[in-house]
């Protein structure tokens, strides 16, 4: 019995030719890690063992097709499209995994995340193939969206007038003990299992310690299958003999022969499902690739790790092992797929511009990468992004995660849990919020710094989450800590020590430096926090506190308009400080100005991409204008006039390049009126998508749709599959959390507001 073939999947974007080069669609659940589907149908970036692992592919990991028409000869071919020419040459020849296998001549990739479809055709193969790959993504259901599995359905279509005997084989080396960077398999074993409609390979290890972060289990199984064969361990052969043995065996009749268990420490197991495909019809074979690695360590564990460094994974509390994942997923697969398709179809069928759908939907993939994880208590945490082999910038950094809008609107319980961590665990009695959360939670306040924008943005996010949930008990539990977090601004040596509604002190922020003196970026966050806290205080009956928030808001707003707006945009009034006057916990020891009394690394007279970020968040939260509306409009116009570049040809940038050459981008800061500091803040010449999205979304809220879409289109044109991965908007690392600001475009264009 073969799997039923569901209805046609929606398609938002199609890639062909050179555009297939960089595609890597993460297949995995929220907080589980992922393996990525490459543009040619390969599986790459096996990041399932508790850490990033860009480029890691197990020694053997591929799928192959055997096809024999009734009137012809059999053909055996890897279920992958042609290799990109850049992979042809290396020190010892081609470099791509499985480069030595015959493959299909023609390939296309269609997607509407989390759905990926790879279409394979070849005149020499009697079947066409469509690989349908996904992991369930069901808004409002973090558990069913957090399954450590990749669903891979191979739909075989027979365009000929004779039946075709076919088989699909999946092969995987048992790599337990290795995470792509370190470690090695030891005494790994593969066992064939059957469980209802699921049959396949269960992969374990008896040699890797059960407390090792690289210890766990894997499963490669087939669902709804009739005839099936398997091989639990390829024989050990040198000089490619193991692959030759497998290929010869499978190519005879599409069946596999069980071998003696001499696969060494890292045996390769294979399972093959046979089907007959009648003329003009299609049949499907569905594979499940599942994983279960319970021993996640904290951000920066001791060497060797202590027991306290072992924080674990939420998903491993719900599944006993990888086989349990496969069996339970198979049982619920029709409903998981139907609910995922209902969401994706509804989203794709909306009248939103395609580029907005693409930016919003594709960046959801970040939640399923190693950027994010969940601990056994259910809390969601995130790096800022991921380096190739490690997380980048730990601690659910508040000033980065302030920007993303996807989690609260799709998985509100996870967003509320993040607020609980920020206010109940990371905020001290005096209101100082550690902007990076150390783990486990009894270390939450160990990071000694508070970030001005991070802390104030969390207050606005608290208001947003309360509006969306209507959970008064939750709000009352967090409120005392939130009030302290705002009052922290007013402490001696703090951000607004003179309590005039203007941020003037030492302000560490997302530019990884401290600003000294009033500036629009911190100023707008402060105004937004004051408005949010005013609304919450009034709702909770604290009218005096609400009135004080209102006073500071009105006074600060008027001051910024009168003193920082230069007729076109808002500037930064640099004010040196005596280091002795700076409150402890506000200044980084090495990242910012060397001498606060003569500070470098400042914004100054620049036209900053982020100068209205607080206003952008106020639009999301329906808090109204924070500044004079005419000034807001003029500033947005200036950002387009001065910062948006149709081409970066000739652009000088002393730092990192996330856009370059003939590409279009919105730069972080320009100095159209001169007066650039000798050493401005370090990222002034860069372009980063999360910041670009906030401007684009703000333009959409202001009704300037064409201009907002132009900025979003420029971003997505850069992530075109040829130059960059469409599912990996980078900043300081892959899959950068800030890029999930793209969901804000959906809110802006639909006018969505909700008060529970």
């Amino acid at each position: 019995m073969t799997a039923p073939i569901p209805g046609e999947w929606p398609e938002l974007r199609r890639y062909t030719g050179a555009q297939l080069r960089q595609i890597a669609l993460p297949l995995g659940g929220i907080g589980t890690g992922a393996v990525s589907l490459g543009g040619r149908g390969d599986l790459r970036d096996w990041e399932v063992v508790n850490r990033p692992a860009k480029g890691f592919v197990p020694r053997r990991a591929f799928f192959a097709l055997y096809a024999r028409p009734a009137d012809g000869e059999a053909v055996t071919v890897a279920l992958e499209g042609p290799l990109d020419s850049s992979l042809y040459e290396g020190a010892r020849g081609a470099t791509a995994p499985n480069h030595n296998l015959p493959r299909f001549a023609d390939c296309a990739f269609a997607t509407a995340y989390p759905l990926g479809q790879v279409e394979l055709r070849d005149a020499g193969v009697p079947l066409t193939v469509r690989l349908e790959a996904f992991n369930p993504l069901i808004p409002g259901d973090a558990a069913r969206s957090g399954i450590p599995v990749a669903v891979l359905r191979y739909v075989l279509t027979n365009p000929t007038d004779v039946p075709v005997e076919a088989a699909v084989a999946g092969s995987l080396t048992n790599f337990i003990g290795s995470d792509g960077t370190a470690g090695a398999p030891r005494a790994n074993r593969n066992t064939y299992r059957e469980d209802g409609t699921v049959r396949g390979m269960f992969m374990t290890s008896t040699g890797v310690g059960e407390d090792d972060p690289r210890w766990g289990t894997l499963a490669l199984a087939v669902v709804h299958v009739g005839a099936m064969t398997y091989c639990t361990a390829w024989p050990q052969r040198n000089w490619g003999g193991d692959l030759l043995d497998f290929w010869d065996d499978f190519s005879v009749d599409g069946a596999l022969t069980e071998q003696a268990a001499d696969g060494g420490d890292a045996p390769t197991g294979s399972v093959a499902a046979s089907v007959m495909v009648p003329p003009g019809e299609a049949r499907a074979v569905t594979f499940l690739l599942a994983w279960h690695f319970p021993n996640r360590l904290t951000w920066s564990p001791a060497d060797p790790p202590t027991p306290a460094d072992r924080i674990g994974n939420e998903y491993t509390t719900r599944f006993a092992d990888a086989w349990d994942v496969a069996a339970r997923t198979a049982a619920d697969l029709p409903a998981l797929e139907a609910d995922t398709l209902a969401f994706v179809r509804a989203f794709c069928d909306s009248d939103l511009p395609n580029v907005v759908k693409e930016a919003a939907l594709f960046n959801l993939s970040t939640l399923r990468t190693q950027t994010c994880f969940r601990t056994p208590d259910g809390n969601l945490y995130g790096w800022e992004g991921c380096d190739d082999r490690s997380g980048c910038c730990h601690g659910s950094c508040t000033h980065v995660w302030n920007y993303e809008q996807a989690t609260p609107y799709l998985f509100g319980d996870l967003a509320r849990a993040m607020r609980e961590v920020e206010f109940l665990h990371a905020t001290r009695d005096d209101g100082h919020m550690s902007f990076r959360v150390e783990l486990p939670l009894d270390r939450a306040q160990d990071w000694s710094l508070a970030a001005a924008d991070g802390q104030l943005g969390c207050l606005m996010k608290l208001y947003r989450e309360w509006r969306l949930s209507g959970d008064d008990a939750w709000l009352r539990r967090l409120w005392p800590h939130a009030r302290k977090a705002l009052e922290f601004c007013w402490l001696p040596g703090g951000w607004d020590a003179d309590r005039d509604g203007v941020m003037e002190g030492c302000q560490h922020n997302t530019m990884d430096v401290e600003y000294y003196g009033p500036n629009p970026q911190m100023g707008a966050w402060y105004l937004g926090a004051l408005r949010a806290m005013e609304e919450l205080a009034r709702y909770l009956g604290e009218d005096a506190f609400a009135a004080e928030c209102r006073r500071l808001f009105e006074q600060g707003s008027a001051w910024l308009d009168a003193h920082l707006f230069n007729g076109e945009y808002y500037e930064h009034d640099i004010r040196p400080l005596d280091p002795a006057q700076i409150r402890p916990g506000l200044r980084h020891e090495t990242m910012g100005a060397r001498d606060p009394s003569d500070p470098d690394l400042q914004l100054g007279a620049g036209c900053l991409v982020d100068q209205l970020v607080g206003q952008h968040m106020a639009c999301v939260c329906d808090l109204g204008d924070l500044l004079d509306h005419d000034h807001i409009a003029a500033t947005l116009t200036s950002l387009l006039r001065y910062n948006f570049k149709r081409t970066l040809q000739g652009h000088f940038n002393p730092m990192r390049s996330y856009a370059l050459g003939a590409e279009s981008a919105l730069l972080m800061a320009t100095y159209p009126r001169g007066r650039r500091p000798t050493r401005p803040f370090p990222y002034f010449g860069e372009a980063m998508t999360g910041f670009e999205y906030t401007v684009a979304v703000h333009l959409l809220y202001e009704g300037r749709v064409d201009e907002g879409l132009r900025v979003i289109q420029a971003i997505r044109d850069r992530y075109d599959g040829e130059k960059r991965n469409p599912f990996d908007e980078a900043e300081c690392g892959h899959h950068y959390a800030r890029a999930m600001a793209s969901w804000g475009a959906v809110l802006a264009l639909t006018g969505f507001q909700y008060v529970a």
Side-chain angles (χ1 to χ4, degrees), residues 233-250:
W234 293 11
Q236 288 188 284
R237 303 278 194 270
N238 61 0
W239 298 104
D242 59 339
L243 180 59
L244 176 63
D245 184 272
F246 164 82
W247 201 260
D248 283 348
D249 182 32
F250 185 57

Side-chain angles (χ1 to χ4, degrees), residues 634-650:
T635 298
L636 289 171
T637 297
S638 295
L639 283 169
L640 291 172
R641 177 183 300 137
Y642 298 129
N643 294 43
F644 186 78
K645 305 299 181 184
R646 295 188 179 276
T647 175
L648 295 175
Q649 200 71 39

Side-chain angles (χ1 to χ4, degrees), residues 182-233:
R186 293 188 300 275
N188 292 2
R189 295 294 178 264
N190 301 335
T191 306
Y192 177 74
R193 280 192 176 184
E194 296 186 0
D195 189 348
T197 61
V198 184
R199 303 179 191 177
M201 208 62 58
F202 180 47
M203 300 184 171
T204 58
S205 176
T206 59
V208 179
E210 293 190 9
D211 60 350
D212 193 306
R214 304 173 189 92
W215 175 83
T217 56
L218 295 161
L220 177 62
V222 182
V223 186
H224 294 295
V225 68
M228 181 171 172
T229 56
Y230 62 89
C231 174
T232 55

Side-chain angles (χ1 to χ4, degrees), residues 90-175:
R92 298 191 179 185
T95 58
N98 309 315
H99 56 80
N100 42 7
L101 302 181
R103 53 192 59 241
F104 282 76
D106 298 311
C107 181
F109 188 100
T111 183
Y113 190 81
L115 312 173
Q117 301 181 71
V118 180
E119 299 169 1
L120 300 169
R121 298 176 182 274
D122 193 303
V125 180
L127 299 172
T128 62
V129 180
R130 183 176 71 255
L131 166 58
E132 299 176 339
F134 82 108
N135 180 286
L137 180 62
I138 304 163
D141 196 332
R144 294 170 77 218
S145 303
I147 303 173
V149 71
V151 181
L152 306 165
R153 178 186 297 118
Y154 291 92
V155 180
L156 314 178
T157 300
N158 182 358
T160 75
D161 55 5
V162 298
V164 175
E165 176 187 350
V168 179
S171 299
L172 177 63
T173 297
N174 183 339
F175 60 89

Side-chain angles (χ1 to χ4, degrees), residues 394-418:
H394 75 287
S396 303
C397 176
T398 55
H399 61 57
V400 167
W401 280 81
N402 272 350
Y403 290 73
E404 73 97 5
Q405 301 294 340
T407 309
Y409 288 93
L410 288 144
F411 300 100
D413 55 337
L414 298 184
R416 290 192 297 278
M418 294 188 84

